[in-house]
Every structure is written in C-alpha cells, then in structure tokens.
Amino acid sequence: MKKEEFALEGLQCAGCVSTVEKVVRDLPGVKEANVNLATEKMMVQFNPKEADVQKIMETVSLAGYQAILINDEEDVLEKTAIKKEKQLQSLKVRAWVSGVFAIVLLYMAMGEMVGLPLPQFLQPMEHPIVFSVTQLILVAPILWVGRSYFVNGFKALIRKHPNMDSLVALGTSAAILYSVWSTIRILAGEYHYVMHLYVESAAVILAFITVGKYFETLTKGRTSQAIQSLVALSPKVATVIRDGKEVEVPVEELQVGEVVFVRPGEKIPVDGVILSGESFVDESMITGESVPVFKKEGSKVVGATLNTTGSFQVEVSQVGKDTTLSQIIRLVEEAQGSKAPIAAIADRVAGIFVPIVMGLSLLAGLYWGLIGGESFEFVVTVMISVLVIACPCALGLATPTAIMVGTGFGAKRGILIKSSAALEEAGHVGVVLLDKTGTITNGKPKVVDIQVFNDYSKEEVLKVAASIEKHSEHPLGKAIVEEAEKQEFDILPIEQFQSISGMGIQGIVDGKEVLLGNHLLLQNQGIAVDEFNAVIDGVASKGQTAMFVVIQKQVAGIIVVADTIKATSKEAIQQMKALGLQVRMVTGDHEKTAKAIANEVGIETVYSQVLPNEKASVVEQLLEEGYQVAMVGDGINDAPALAKATVGIAIGSGVDVAIETADMVMMQDDLRLVAKTIQLSKMTMMTIKENLFWAFIYNVIGIPVAMGVLHFFGGPLLSPMIAGAAMSFSSVSVVLNALRLNHKLSKLEK
C-alpha cells in the first residue's frame, strides 16, 4: 500500500468533505481517504497497481474540487501560507464591501422603524420605484463579491453533491429573485409590492456569512501554527567545508557524509555526528526540555537545535525528509489529517445533512402555504431562514480544529502523536504497562562487581565478556564493554556470534565456546545453576542484575550490573496513579530484581522474567480482561507489545523506530510525559465533545425555530438575517473553543 497527501481547494463545509471522501474511496484500489476540513488536506492510502495519483486528482476534479499532490512539505506549506494570506486579504475586502453596503440597505429598509430619518426621495411610499431600484443597485456589489457562494453552490447542486454554499445560494437567490419580481410589479404600477422586498435580508445574510468566514479563516490559521512553527525552525543555510574551505550553501544542497561547521549561537542545519569540538546544545524545540545538553566528539546532534557555547564540526548523517525534524513534521501532519473514531458521528450526519435541510425547507414552506394559510411572503421567509440557518461547517470543524490544537501542543513539547485515533484512545486507558530498562531506569547500567569461579581471574572474565558483548547492542552488554575499555583491556577475536532473545548471547572467543547471559540461558543450555541461587537472590534483592559468563560449558564468573532509576520515574508513576490509572511493570529481569525496582518507584504489580516475544502476550491478556492498555517501552524489543497495546508509547526512542511501531513518541526520557499525554487526550476529547454538542444542539434548536415552531405557538418568526448571523457564529464559536483548548493545555505545564 502507498500513502500520499494532497492539498485540496474548494472545500466549504463538512458536506464537501463527505463528498470528496466518498468519490475517492469508491475508486478501485483505494483503501482509505481522509479529508481534514481545517487543514484542507487529504490523506489517501491506495494500491499503486490499481490506482494512481493522476486518477485520484481527476476524480476529485470531477466532483468539483481540486487536489494537488504534496511532494515537498515545506514548499507546499510555504505556498499554502501565501495562498491563505491572499485568501484572508480577499475575504477581508469582501467582508468590508458586504458589511458597508448591507448596513446602508438595512438603514433604508428598517431605519424608519427605529426612528432614523430617510431622505425624501427614498421614502418607500412616496417614491416606491426609486426605493426598490436603489436597493437592487446597492445589493449588486454584495452579490459580486459573494459570487463564489452562487457559483460553487449551484455547481454542487448540479453534481448532486449539495453543500453549505448550495444552502446559501438557494436562500439568498430566492430572496433576490422575489425582490426583483416585486420591483417589476412596482414598475408596472403595483406600488403595494414595495412592502414585499427582501433585498436587505439577502444582503445582510451574505454579509454575515462573509464576515463569519473571514473570522473563521483567521482563527483556523491559528490552529495550524504548530506545523508552521516547526517548519520555521529549520535553518535555510549551512557552512559546509569543501576543499578545506568554509562555504555557505542552502541546506537542501547538503549531502550525507559532508562536514558542516557550526558556530556558537547558530542552529545545527541537519542531523549528524560531531567529528571535533564540543558545546552545549539547546534541544528544547525538539524534545521540549529546556536544559541544554552537553555534546562532544561522537555525540549525535539533531537539525534545527541551537548550538549555545562552543563550536564544532558535524558529519551529515540525514538530510531532507530523513531528518528528525522532517519526520516530526510528517508525524504531526499525519495526526492532524487523520480522523478520530468520534468524528465518524459527524461524518455520517454531514453526508446527508444538506439534502435533509433542503427537504425540511420545502416541507416547512408547503405546511405554512397549504395548511397554515400564510402569505407567499411568509412562506418565502420561512424557507430562506431554514436554508440559511443550517450549518454543516460547525460539524466539519468540530473535530479537526481540536485535534490540530492538541497534536500541535504536544509536538512543541516533545510529545509526538501519530494519529487522532491514538489521541482519543489514550484518554480511555486504564492500565499503563511499563518496560523497566531504559524506561523506568536510565538504561545505562554499570558494572558494580565481578565474582569468579573455577580458577578464572576477574580480568579474564571481563575480557572474554567484553569481547563477545562488543557485537551486542544490549545496554547491559554496553556496560561490560565500557568497563573493559576503562581498564584498557584488549578485545579478543570472536566467531559465530549469536543473540538468544531474552536470555543472552553466545559465540567463539579466542577459540573457546562462550555463553553470556542470565540464569535462563544456562538452564536452556543444560548448565546447573542451583549452587548460584544464593548469589542470584542476593544480587536481585538490591535491584541489580547477575550475568553469567560460561567458558567451555563451565561457569567462569558472574558480572553484577546495576541500572539506576531515573530521577523522575517515581514522580511520574505517582502522577499516573493520581489520574486513576493502574501502573504495572513488565521486564525480562529476575523476579527479585524486578520487585526491588518496582517497590522503589511505587509499582505493585510486576511481570518478571518475561521474554520480549512474551510481552505482547501480557498485553493481550490484559486486553482480554477488558482493560484498555498503554504499553510504554524504549526499544525494538518492545515492538510487538507496543503494536498489540491499545496505545503504544515509545519513550526516548529514535523517531525511526517509533514510526514503525508506536502510536506516540516521547522525545524525552521522562515518564512524566505519559501522564501529561493522557491528560492532553482527555482535554482534547472533551473539547471535541463540546464542539460536537454545540454543532448538533445549534441545528436541533435552530432549524425548528426557522421552520416556524415558535410562530405556531404564537411566538415570533425567525428573520433570515438573524439566521445568517447565527450560522456564522456557530462556525466561529467552534474554532474559538478549539483555540481555548490551547489555554487549558498550557496549565498542564504549571
């Protein structure tokens, strides 16, 4: 399956979203199509053997919209920003024109009712022809600047995919056409038709909608600032060393393997490894951590982070889309473009909303005309009000605006959420399952003791162990290698290296068969460990790990390794418990070691001596028991469990690994981010529910009122102008509520 992202043009409301999604999903080979009204983008997953980009774009075009393939995210964002700015300026002009002429028309039509004087020549009863013709002349500029509503609306009707513009076009067209007809009758001498003009209603409706759209566009732009700010982080130029000279070049021209020079106060242009020099680097824009990190020769650095004190040379390791920042932007974009399960409700309603509204408008007109015995003017007023007050925009904006704010807030603080579904599910989690090494602990263990047996020396045991562990990436193995390097031991030649998952490693070191691992490895190889039980228990009770070194089937020694607990782990677990979560630990360590660590951080339930492939089984068991599970791990060995869990959270992991398995990525090695993420989820979902409630309740109340329910019981009839204002306010209020989420989320940091 292939996944591509498209920028869309022409979207007006949730009805448009539903239309585009339907026509694209109906294409052969297309598995999924998700349209985001707030970002005006579409993510399509398809089989390239059956579907292609060109066919997708043609299908969207036939539906009345335009789709543009996004090849260069930064370039598209830049072009989109320019386009949005032009659109905003255009809307501003249109809003001013509509507003000014609408006010004049409103003054003409209703001024005398509130005691405002009219010039003699505009008196409706004395000069009806001048009065009616002047109104038609004054409404012309409003119709011109608002012509897109009519063009798009009627096009959508012809294509049998009516949208919000269709409702506006039908409603205002009815008002204008009836007013033109009345003016014709006035010109024919039937002056009483001067009371049957609805020009000001159409004008005010269009003005309200245009002004509302301007503020909606303005506030929607603020919800997407997170992505724009991330893109802005990347420096545009870099100082590269070519032929021994420093040359300033655009960042996009850098190649893997080139060397760049970074001065104090400069942003690091791309991901790489320091070749020479040292400095403190501010990584807050990537991790959210405000304290600068010391970097030296061999340290990895991330593009867009800020070099503070010293200078250094960096060998480029990733460029373009492969950089950490680019991957973060892609993750956030995908999250904002995806749909939360809760959005399915709004999608189903939006798909049939506009036809239902048109039907209700007709039904109300027929009732009041045929049964209610009301005048034609009354019937027209009711039908226009029903068409205008209905607002599918609010439904379409309810979910994506809140998702954009929530994921954007997280991204700027080192919390990367890959999908809106994950964001929603995180709020339902009941059990948090924590890996131990690298998650609760620092993952940087040290050798604290070496015990030897069978006439082997400590030096020999350590040298053999370091030689075989040199080929391993396990944190415990790295601790042994570091200890040997500290003592300046030579590494012995090794053959037939093999890793045994969850147990240890084996190989031929200097011609001798060597095993290195836990007691399970020895049992697996048929080597008796009973005589070492006391040693194992004593080490485990201190939260340390015993690693057996076996040479030629004989136990040569035990290397004791200790991993320290992260300073923030205990606090983080307390925060999770305060949210009502059960916190449990899963590890491959000995039971006593695991329990010693668990007791220190406040965890009651521990799954110990669990092999990596068995971690997924623990998750599956909890799911079968009815729990929603968040699995938190830091390595590839946790991948099956991360994938199986309701929400998989990779903490402190490289983005590359996280993309493959986890639903969320914590850029800092700080468990406190887990509690913060779950709070982020709960608050975002609450905002979405508030938005959906407002959007639904607005229509549930507004449409019946527009149909004349209040008038049926002796109350007032809703004016089309008030209906237009209410419709605009509903969309703006949903977006403003999403922006309010940002304020509420900022309290999480206090």
Side-chain angles (χ1 to χ4, degrees):
M1 284 291 174
K2 190 176 180 180
K3 188 184 285 185
E4 293 286 3
E5 191 176 23
F6 299 83
L8 296 176
E9 294 181 5
L11 297 180
Q12 301 297 328
C13 65
C16 303
V17 171
S18 179
T19 297
V20 174
E21 287 183 342
K22 185 179 185 305
V23 296
V24 175
R25 284 171 182 165
D26 287 344
L27 286 172
V30 174
K31 182 182 179 182
E32 191 58 70
N34 286 322
V35 175
N36 188 318
L37 179 61
T39 60
E40 297 183 350
K41 290 181 181 178
M42 173 175 66
M43 190 71 71
V44 183
Q45 192 174 358
F46 60 96
N47 185 344
K49 293 181 180 178
E50 298 180 61
D52 58 55
V53 167
Q54 192 61 37
K55 184 66 178 175
I56 293 169
M57 292 193 293
E58 288 174 0
T59 302
V60 173
S61 179
L62 288 171
Y65 308 90
Q66 188 177 358
I68 304 164
L69 179 65
I70 297 176
N71 289 314
D72 185 340
E73 184 67 39
E74 187 171 344
D75 184 55
V76 168
L77 281 169
E78 191 174 330
K79 289 179 180 176
T80 302
I82 295 170
K83 187 177 176 181
K84 290 288 184 186
E85 186 60 32
K86 288 182 179 178
Q87 184 187 10
L88 195 62
Q89 291 303 317
S90 173
L91 275 170
K92 190 176 182 179
V93 172
R94 288 165 56 191
W96 271 107
V97 172
S98 302
V100 169
F101 281 94
I103 290 170
V104 175
L105 281 164
L106 199 61
Y107 179 84
M108 284 183 61
M110 306 181 70
E112 284 194 316
M113 298 181 189
V114 293
L116 296 174
L118 268 178
Q120 188 65 32
F121 72 93
L122 288 177
Q123 292 291 334
M125 303 311 297
E126 297 180 24
H127 303 282
I129 294 176
V130 175
F131 181 80
S132 59
V133 173
T134 301
Q135 285 202 349
L136 290 178
I137 293 171
L138 288 172
V139 82
I142 299 176
L143 295 176
W144 175 252
V145 298
R147 62 190 181 280
S148 61
Y149 300 126
F150 301 94
V151 174
N152 297 332
F154 286 118
K155 275 185 178 179
L157 271 175
I158 294 168
R159 294 190 178 95
K160 299 179 182 179
H161 297 302
N163 54 24
M164 188 200 75
D165 283 354
S166 303
L167 298 179
V168 174
L170 284 171
T172 53
S173 293
I176 293 294
L177 289 173
Y178 186 72
S179 298
V180 170
W181 169 248
S182 296
T183 301
I184 293 170
R185 302 296 293 268
I186 293 167
L187 291 171
E190 298 180 62
Y191 297 140
H192 65 279
Y193 270 92
V194 77
M195 306 305 295
H196 298 168
L197 297 172
Y198 288 92
V199 176
E200 83 285 351
S201 294
V204 174
I205 288 168
L206 289 171
F208 270 133
I209 291 170
T210 304
V211 171
K213 206 160 198 60
Y214 169 72
F215 283 110
E216 180 190 312
T217 304
L218 190 66
T219 49
K220 274 168 64 179
R222 290 174 60 190
T223 64
S224 62
Q225 283 179 353
I227 287 290
Q228 295 166 13
S229 62
L230 285 172
V231 172
L233 290 174
S234 182
K236 303 300 180 186
V237 295
T239 303
V240 63
I241 299 173
R242 292 176 178 173
D243 300 324
K245 297 180 180 179
E246 295 181 6
V247 184
E248 199 169 83
V249 299
V251 169
E252 56 267 21
E253 292 183 9
L254 289 176
Q255 302 292 320
V256 173
E258 286 196 297
V259 178
V260 297
F261 182 68
V262 185
R263 298 177 181 86
E266 291 184 343
K267 286 185 176 180
I268 300 168
V270 288
D271 295 7
V273 179
I274 293 179
L275 293 178
S276 64
E278 58 185 37
S279 179
F280 282 90
V281 176
D282 181 354
E283 297 182 331
S284 58
M285 62 282 291
I286 300 294
T287 66
E289 176 58 58
S290 59
V291 180
V293 181
F294 180 69
K295 302 286 185 177
K296 60 181 181 178
E297 185 179 336
S299 297
K300 292 181 179 179
V301 290
V302 177
T305 55
L306 181 66
N307 177 31
T308 60
T309 54
S311 59
F312 47 78
Q313 292 185 356
V314 178
E315 183 180 357
V316 179
S317 58
Q318 278 90 30
V319 295
K321 291 184 177 181
D322 296 327
T323 63
T324 300
L325 181 63
S326 294
Q327 293 185 56
I328 290 172
I329 291 170
R330 186 168 70 250
L331 282 176
V332 178
E333 277 282 328
E334 287 182 2
Q336 293 185 344
S338 63
K339 290 200 174 183
I342 195 171
I345 304 169
D347 287 348
R348 285 196 291 269
V349 173
I352 58 172
F353 185 82
V354 175
I356 288 175
V357 170
M358 293 169 66
L360 289 174
S361 174
L362 182 61
L363 185 66
L366 290 172
Y367 172 82
W368 289 112
L370 301 177
I371 301 173
E374 297 288 351
S375 66
F376 180 69
E377 294 80 13
F378 184 98
V379 171
V380 170
T381 299
V382 169
M383 292 181 70
I384 292 172
S385 295
V386 173
L387 290 170
V388 171
I389 200 168
C391 187
C393 269
L395 283 172
L397 293 169
T399 300
T401 49
I403 293 291
M404 287 174 70
V405 172
T407 53
F409 180 92
K412 291 169 78 172
R413 288 153 182 84
I415 304 169
L416 303 183
I417 301 164
K418 288 175 60 178
S419 71
S420 51
L423 182 61
E424 178 176 343
E425 288 164 350
H428 302 145
V429 164
V431 174
V432 179
L433 195 60
L434 302 176
D435 173 51
K436 180 183 78 68
T437 305
T439 303
I440 296 175
T441 65
N442 285 300
K444 296 178 180 177
K446 295 182 178 180
V447 175
V448 295
D449 188 25
I450 301 176
Q451 301 181 28
V452 293
F453 310 95
N454 297 312
D455 298 326
Y456 284 94
S457 67
K458 290 184 179 182
E459 291 79 5
E460 190 175 0
V461 168
L462 181 58
K463 187 185 291 186
V464 168
S467 299
I468 194 169
E469 287 287 8
K470 189 75 173 176
H471 298 266
S472 170
E473 291 296 318
H474 197 282
L476 298 181
K478 287 183 178 180
I480 292 172
V481 173
E482 285 176 8
E483 181 65 23
E485 288 175 348
K486 190 165 66 178
Q487 298 191 29
E488 299 181 350
F489 289 158
D490 294 330
I491 300 298
L492 301 171
I494 179 172
E495 303 172 44
Q496 301 178 26
F497 174 85
Q498 184 183 351
S499 176
I500 304 170
S501 183
M503 298 184 191
I505 53 179
Q506 66 180 24
I508 307 296
V509 179
D510 200 25
K512 298 176 182 177
E513 185 183 346
V514 175
L515 295 172
L516 195 156
N518 56 28
H519 67 288
L520 295 176
L521 177 65
L522 272 64
Q523 290 174 349
N524 182 262
Q525 297 292 321
I527 299 171
V529 294
D530 291 348
E531 62 183 288
F532 303 104
N533 285 340
V535 177
I536 295 171
D537 291 345
V539 169
S541 64
K542 300 176 184 176
Q544 300 171 341
T545 301
M547 300 188 60
F548 287 86
V549 181
V550 180
I551 302 175
Q552 298 289 83
K553 304 286 187 183
Q554 192 177 54
V555 176
I558 296 176
I559 298 177
V560 181
V561 181
D563 191 6
T564 55
I565 296 171
K566 292 177 183 176
T568 57
S569 290
K570 188 173 182 178
E571 181 188 350
I573 289 161
Q574 288 173 344
Q575 289 176 354
M576 291 181 224
K577 288 182 174 181
L579 294 174
L581 301 169
Q582 294 186 40
V583 185
R584 306 182 183 185
M585 186 172 80
V586 60
T587 177
D589 268 351
H590 190 276
E591 183 181 359
K592 288 190 177 180
T593 304
K595 285 187 175 180
I597 298 292
N599 289 335
E600 194 167 338
V601 296
I603 294 176
E604 289 80 28
T605 305
V606 179
Y607 305 93
S608 58
Q609 297 179 226
V610 178
L611 298 176
N613 61 317
E614 294 173 342
K615 288 184 180 180
S617 301
V618 174
V619 173
E620 194 169 4
Q621 180 188 331
L622 289 169
L623 292 172
E624 288 174 357
E625 291 174 8
Y627 292 108
Q628 299 295 304
V629 182
M631 172 67 197
V632 184
D634 72 321
I636 298 174
N637 64 320
D638 298 316
L642 290 169
K644 180 70 72 174
T646 311
V647 180
I649 302 174
I651 185 160
S653 289
V655 177
D656 289 335
V657 175
I659 286 174
E660 299 299 324
T661 50
D663 301 300
M664 299 180 178
V665 186
M666 312 288 108
M667 297 298 290
Q668 298 177 41
D669 288 321
D670 190 345
L671 272 178
R672 291 177 297 182
L673 288 178
V674 175
K676 192 174 287 187
T677 301
I678 289 171
Q679 287 178 287
L680 170 65
S681 167
K682 290 180 181 292
M683 293 169 74
T684 303
M685 298 316 299
M686 180 57 68
T687 300
I688 289 174
K689 289 173 182 177
E690 290 170 355
N691 284 350
L692 287 174
F693 173 80
W694 167 249
F696 279 121
I697 206 71
Y698 161 81
N699 285 293
V700 166
I701 296 172
I703 292 175
V705 170
M707 291 176 72
V709 169
L710 294 180
H711 186 75
F712 183 83
F713 293 101
L717 185 66
L718 184 69
S719 163
M721 291 182 288
I722 302 299
M727 189 270 275
S728 297
F729 177 73
S730 69
S731 296
V732 175
S733 64
V734 164
V735 180
L736 288 174
N737 191 46
L739 289 171
R740 191 170 66 92
L741 170 64
N742 201 58
H743 174 70
K744 292 192 289 184
L745 288 171
S746 63
K747 293 180 180 178
L748 291 178
E749 300 180 314
K750 297 179 180 178

